[in-house]
Amino acid sequence: SSAGGAHCFPDLRVGVFKEIVPMGIDPKIVSYKETGIHLSPQEFHREVEQYLSQASQGQSDTILLDCRNFYESKIGHFQGCLAPDIRKFSYFPSYVDENLELFKDKRVLMYCTGGIRCERGSAYLRSKAVCREVYQLKGGIHKYLEEFPDGFYRGKLFVFDDRYAICSNEDIISACRYCGTLWDQYKLCSSQHCRQLVLTCPSCRKKGLTACCPVCQEKELKVTSRASGQTLKEECECTRRRPRVPIEHVLQRMLDTGK
């Protein structure tokens, strides 16, 4: 359970979909029945503990994989994880395809918010037949934090409602977009054409720095100075500069994070 209320959930929509969280692969092709091995929070905790111990000595044969989006892992993640710089879960299959050598002969420990994305993501990774073993955290970070609020997950947990994040520890691992001070409370970009989330501290917001990037900041000023109802084409410096499918060349970044 976590603090909230009706105001956090203003919309109710009911629909029928092939995928709860779209990965872009037909479930008939990659079935949720072919998932990785489910680990309880207790089992996952022990695995992460062992992984961090081995990684600090440069001996690990395991990858701790965060299969969420970059803005989720930015404000909270497991220590020593590999967090792909992807904007949508539908990019995850391409990320795996471009980085197969990274996963070759590795033990993979996967996790996500509540375990749903891991159901599809682990099945896709297993379908490539390159990993030695694939495991996933049953119930996701939510269940882990219920058992280990001060465990190996640090920072906040991103949620897809108007709360944006919930916390179980006091760590702040992200920074303000503009001044670099520690900050982890998301707001929507103030530019009407943009739906990006931005980390901007109260001090910077008072200065009017409320957009996700200079492009959006400039467009916001143009919109407010023009006639009501006039819109501009969506264009964001943040998205344009981020490669859709990042390629991981080495594991050193993961090992450095673990240390």
Side-chain angles (χ1 to χ4, degrees), residues 45-57 59-65 78-82 107 109 251 254-255 257-258:
H45 184 81
R46 289 194 294 269
E47 285 284 351
V48 174
E49 185 175 37
Q50 182 178 5
Y51 159 71
L52 291 175
S53 175
Q54 293 175 343
S56 66
Q57 302 172 32
Q59 300 174 343
S60 180
D61 62 349
T62 300
I63 293 177
L64 179 56
L65 179 62
F78 276 94
Q79 298 172 47
C81 74
L82 170 63
R107 298 175 73 252
L109 302 173
L251 287 173
M254 295 160 50
L255 297 176
T257 304

Side-chain angles (χ1 to χ4, degrees), residues 74 172 174-184 198-205 209:
K74 188 173 186 177
I172 300 177
S174 52
C176 172
R177 162 75 170 81
Y178 290 96
C179 71
T181 190
L182 290 175
W183 189 251
D184 61 6
V198 58
L199 293 171
T200 176
C201 70
S203 177
C204 288
R205 292 187 72 82
L209 301 173

Side-chain angles (χ1 to χ4, degrees), residues 4-150:
H7 66 281
C8 298
F9 308 94
D11 300 318
L12 172 65
R13 282 171 284 182
V14 179
V16 178
F17 302 92
K18 281 187 176 182
E19 304 176 85
I20 296 175
V21 181
M23 189 173 73
I25 306 292
D26 193 311
K28 294 180 180 178
I29 298 176
V30 176
S31 173
Y32 70 92
K33 297 179 181 179
E34 303 298 328
T35 62
I37 300 170
H38 292 72
L39 297 178
S40 68
Q42 294 85 356
E43 292 170 326
F44 196 83
H45 184 81
R46 289 194 294 269
E47 285 284 351
V48 174
E49 185 175 37
Q50 182 178 5
Y51 159 71
L52 291 175
S53 175
Q54 293 175 343
S56 66
Q57 302 172 32
Q59 300 174 343
S60 180
D61 62 349
T62 300
I63 293 177
L64 179 56
L65 179 62
D66 189 324
C67 64
R68 300 174 300 160
N69 303 320
F70 78 92
Y71 52 85
E72 298 173 78
S73 58
K74 188 173 186 177
I75 63 171
H77 54 247
F78 276 94
Q79 298 172 47
C81 74
L82 170 63
D85 188 23
I86 56 176
R87 189 167 60 90
K88 298 179 180 179
F89 185 55
S90 58
Y91 296 172
F92 182 77
S94 297
Y95 174 82
V96 170
D97 292 347
E98 293 291 339
N99 294 281
L100 284 179
E101 193 62 30
L102 181 71
F103 298 104
K104 188 175 181 180
D105 298 325
K106 296 290 184 180
R107 298 175 73 252
V108 178
L109 302 173
M110 293 182 64
Y111 69 89
C112 60
T113 306
I116 295 175
R117 278 174 282 189
C118 282
E119 292 292 289
R120 302 299 315 288
S122 65
Y124 187 82
L125 191 55
R126 288 193 66 219
S127 74
K128 296 299 172 177
V130 295
C131 302
R132 196 163 82 243
E133 297 167 327
V134 179
Y135 299 92
Q136 64 189 80
L137 174 57
K138 185 177 181 180
I141 303 165
H142 268 297
K143 288 296 183 183
Y144 179 85
L145 291 179
E146 289 179 4
E147 299 288 335
F148 302 97
D150 293 309

